[in-house]
Amino acid sequence: AQKVTQAQTEISVVEKEDVTLDCVYETRDTTYYLFWYKQPPSGELVFLIRRNSFDEQNEISGRYSWNFQKSTSSFNFTITASQVVDSAVYFCALSERTGTASKLTFGTGTRLQVTL
Amino acid sequence: DAGVTQSPTHLIKTRGQQVTLRCSPKSGHDTVSWYQQALGQGPQFIFQYYEEEERQRGNFPDRFSGHQFPNYSSELNVNALLLGDSALYLCASSLGLAANTGELFFGEGSRLTVL
């Protein structure tokens, strides 16, 4: 069975600090997809990134960057120069090849609080 | 371009009652999935509908049922409500079933409180 672990329940940083959110996953499949979602107080899950298991290149999008390491089954998310608007709950999720894009296994989330 | 819309946004029911939640997918999407998110937890997959049929189901009892209409909108029904059914119910839409079809679009959810 697949599993996603986000060990950090809550992180609090001061604006402009860098912060890394950890994600460790378990799967028996060799082909799978990893996702990060942001959930602001409104409740809607906002898609941030999707990576497939064959693409281990790190990715950067503005202040966001992702580090995917198959050797350690980790898919960590870093926010550089954090801002108050980054405050939200962040979820890492996994979809196996035999499943569908709609059937995601989520971690328990990391609540990020960015203060002035 | 309307995103995923859900109704109602909030509702309160008592134990034993039945509830129906509704979802309209993002324009152009044909697949709808439902997730249950308990307080402080990650969303858990309930089931998925494509071509008006339930295609996959998570570990939820038969009290949870659904339906997809020809216009791709969907309903989630929960019978014999329990206190533990209190949660945020999220609807997500996508195009097709394949895992490589891209991102999932979520609605803002329906928050159900069972007293």
Side-chain angles (χ1 to χ4, degrees):
Chain A
Q2 50 188 347
K3 183 180 178 181
V4 176
T5 301
Q6 294 180 256
Q8 304 152 308
T9 306
E10 192 162 343
I11 300 175
S12 185
V13 299
V14 176
E15 199 175 43
K16 296 183 184 176
E17 285 185 4
D18 298 346
V19 58
T20 295
L21 309 181
D22 298 332
C23 173
V24 174
Y25 62 92
E26 295 175 30
T27 177
R28 286 178 289 186
D29 212 337
T30 55
T31 303
Y32 49 88
Y33 296 84
L34 293 163
F35 302 76
W36 275 95
Y37 282 86
K38 174 182 180 179
Q39 188 175 43
S42 62
E44 178 181 1
L45 284 165
V46 178
F47 170 84
L48 296 177
I49 190 172
R50 178 195 63 172
R51 302 304 297 276
N52 72 55
S53 53
F54 294 107
D55 184 2
E56 287 193 70
Q57 278 194 330
N58 292 333
E59 183 158 336
I60 298 174
S61 176
R63 295 183 298 107
Y64 296 169
S65 63
W66 291 269
N67 183 280
F68 176 29
Q69 293 192 345
K70 285 182 76 171
S71 60
T72 56
S73 297
S74 65
F75 187 41
N76 297 336
F77 173 32
T78 297
I79 302 175
T80 302
S82 61
Q83 299 176 1
V84 172
V85 292
D86 295 328
S87 297
V89 181
Y90 291 85
F91 290 96
C92 180
L94 168 68
S95 174
E96 290 181 338
R97 178 182 60 82
T98 54
T100 73
S102 306
K103 185 181 179 182
L104 300 178
T105 298
F106 285 84
T108 52
T110 297
R111 180 177 299 277
L112 174 64
Q113 183 72 42
V114 183
T115 57
L116 294 172
Chain B
D1 180 22
V4 179
T5 57
Q6 294 186 242
S7 64
T9 54
H10 294 82
L11 68 166
I12 300 173
K13 294 285 187 178
T14 57
R15 280 178 295 176
Q17 285 189 314
Q18 178 263 344
V19 67
T20 297
L21 308 178
R22 296 175 178 82
C23 171
S24 292
K26 179 179 170 61
S27 178
H29 283 184
D30 57 8
T31 304
V32 173
S33 299
W34 288 91
Y35 285 79
Q36 180 196 65
Q37 186 179 14
L39 198 62
Q41 299 297 313
Q44 287 198 311
F45 176 77
I46 303 175
F47 43 50
Q48 173 193 69
Y49 279 85
Y50 174 70
E51 293 185 336
E52 301 179 51
E53 289 186 13
E54 182 182 295
R55 298 292 178 154
Q56 284 200 77
R57 188 178 184 91
N59 189 25
F60 281 81
D62 292 344
R63 298 186 298 108
F64 289 77
S65 63
H67 188 76
Q68 185 179 36
F69 300 94
N71 66 354
Y72 308 122
S73 66
S74 176
E75 288 183 350
L76 163 66
N77 300 290
V78 186
N79 295 321
L81 284 168
L82 304 173
L83 295 179
D85 295 332
S86 295
L88 179 68
Y89 288 85
L90 293 163
C91 172
S93 75
S94 60
L95 180 62
L97 293 173
N100 62 348
T101 54
E103 65 201 76
L104 214 53
F105 286 83
F106 283 84
E108 293 190 353
S110 294
R111 185 164 295 283
L112 170 65
T113 301
V114 182
L115 302 177

